[in-house]
Amino acid sequence: MAASKRIPVMEIFGPTVQGEGMVIGRKTMFVRTAGCDYSCSWCDSAFTWDGSGKDDIRMLTASEIVEQLKETGGAGFDHVTLSGGNPALLPQLGELIGLLHEEGMQVALETQGSRWQDWFPAVDELTLSPKPPSSGMKTDWSVLGDIIDRLRERAADFSLKVVVFDDADLAYAASVHSRYPDVPFYLQAGNGRLQETEPARMLPYLLERYEWLIDKAMRSEELKRVRVLPQLHTWVWGNKKGV
């Protein structure tokens, strides 16, 4: 297979529980790809784009990824999450999604909604997660709106999710929800302690942030049809990679 069809993979791991978004709690395998068009200030996977993880990148074909998923996860899974970085930068993921479906697997993927790919409607559970002010990034509303319109036209299963750290982020989340009130919408508490290595010290902090977000969401008149989530995997494993 031509090198242009290969996929830059940084991690293949699992099975574990999905910690975020519309598939929170789902037993899944993970394929983490390299590269992102954003550089969020609080990114918990900056190694996928800041150069620190470049030695971990393997250029794999779709078939090789499927084989490594089976070697790692055995027969105990039927769901795969494609993660990043931003996997929406990779047009070649369409082949992998097709092969996973042939194997009877469901596929989930999260992206910030900055780039369209023709394979989006093939994703079983697609999360668009535009980034709030605390990230330091700017949302291109025309691009995000175009992606949502295309997904609606194709009756794709997708949702919106916004990570919230502060009141400005909460106001941003409300603006996203008001633009697309018919799209399933998730709020998720942010993790501002990415350097903490001890899970036991993380949990009280994460619980406090989740309680803060619940309180804010319950008081909001704009945030009605929303679900308020923790970042589940950090409650169990803290900032550990590969879980």
Side-chain angles (χ1 to χ4, degrees), residues 144-184:
L144 180 62
D146 178 66
I147 290 172
I148 289 174
D149 288 344
R150 293 192 194 194
L151 291 171
R152 282 171 170 158
E153 290 171 2
R154 293 158 176 80
D157 186 6
F158 74 102
S159 65
L160 283 159
K161 186 193 85 177
V162 175
V163 177
V164 175
F165 285 82
D166 54 31
D167 287 326
D169 288 356
L170 194 71
Y172 173 89
S175 72
V176 174
H177 187 44
S178 67
R179 283 173 180 263
Y180 314 107
D182 59 317
V183 179

Side-chain angles (χ1 to χ4, degrees), residues 29-30 120 158 175 184 203:
M29 294 291 293
F30 274 86
F120 274 8
F158 74 102
S175 72
L203 188 53

